Amino acid sequence: METLKKELTARERFSNNFEHRYGVISGYIDKDLSQIGKWLSDIVQLAKENKVEEYEPSVRALQVLLEKNQELRELVNKTIAEGLEVHKHFEPTAPYFIENIEDLLNTLNYIITRAPEFLPNVSHSAFPMSGLFVYMMATPNGWLLFRNETFNQALSLILKEWCAYLDSSASLNVVTTKSGGWLSPESVKKNNLDQFVTEEMKLEDPIHWTFKSFNDFFHRQIIPVCRPIDGVGNDHVIVSANDGTVYRIAENVKREDDIYAKNQPYSLVHLLDNNFVDDFVGGTVFQSFLSGNDYHRWRAPISGRVIKAEVIPGYMFSELLNQGDHGFDPTAGTYSQGYEANVNTRGLVIIEHENPAIGKVAVIPIGITEISSVEIQIKPGDYVKKGDELGWFSYGGSSMCLVFQPKAIKQFTVVNPLPDNNSDNGPFIRVGAQVAIANIK
């Protein structure tokens, strides 16, 4: 007799392994599911109270798209319905939900015309897009929607318009020392701002501490003495490109692999977007993730000549599809980071060391959720020294991969978390700190 398989509801899919979602482990999303529901209810209410007659251009473009594209409109409606099921379960008393496309457009428009306030007890208040989509992403139709090229492009335009606002001086209203400001005493403590802000900055500009916009604050420069570079002048020492937490060290990486598999393999063809793939077959990937209050600029792990520097467009809110019994895995976090490295918007900087024993090293900053904005400040032909700044993340979630050629690494000096698909408790690493020893004589 045929065995019947239980079909999971959207709520069950969402709650399964929720604690391993990227937003949760990195601090972008609250661990308390009811708090997410309450926050989302509040922002939908605010969006309704502040409804405008005409949406911002990018939101209006999405509205027109959904009016004309019936198939996409139906997919959005199905995704909203599944997300609504989850929302009502975890916060049944919340009076406001994303119940239809109008609610979604209203809330998107509200979010992109404002900079996030600092709310010390609501972690995802700083990342409202993550909060808005959190229930929808971990659903079967959400899997289809956030991989839909047409929807992804429309969403990308919305996020770019928001990023432009966060780059402007208008966003400075939340970068102040007042309550709810990112320079308030509570934020100074929570975000370790004493490592970023000098007394001279405070004296020069007592209100904004010389920051020019919200994004200027988000990718703030650190005081150099707080991030010294290890092994200066010693080519044996390879350093971390970023602040973060180690996710995985994967060896003998294949040219091509099944990026949808549950064990999250890396596929060099996808990861490198077909650039210098043959040089890295059989090599090693070192991946880490950044939390919301980590330093969001990244640096060269070795010295050498830059031979590639570009941004690769990709997904932003897509989560892992599992090949298990139910065909879906709702863990948008450490369970999805390997997958996201292969498909998300990401930078690609390849540095070639003069010693062939080290050879080429690929630095791959990955945008996850929100703006997914990767800014590269160097170009092919530039020579960089170990520890030199390569670029930064503007507003948004982020992860980082370093890819090494075969036999380039003699030994890693940080622990590889195990099991590798559930590693949200890896060791913290600081940018510029040694993470490996090169295999040179």
Side-chain angles (χ1 to χ4, degrees), residues 39-51:
W39 173 87
L40 183 55
S41 176
D42 290 344
I43 200 167
V44 173
Q45 179 185 9
L46 288 169
K48 288 182 177 180
E49 291 174 353
N50 292 273
K51 185 177 179 180

Side-chain angles (χ1 to χ4, degrees), residues 16-29:
N16 181 31
N17 293 314
F18 171 80
E19 69 274 13
H20 296 299
R21 294 174 66 95
Y22 176 81
V24 174
I25 63 170
S26 59
Y28 298 161
I29 298 174

Side-chain angles (χ1 to χ4, degrees), residues 47 110 141 221 261 273 288 339 356 362 377 385 394 426:
Y110 179 82
N141 282 295
Q221 189 57 272
D273 198 38
S288 58
Y339 159 75
Q377 69 180 48
K385 294 182 294 184
S394 286

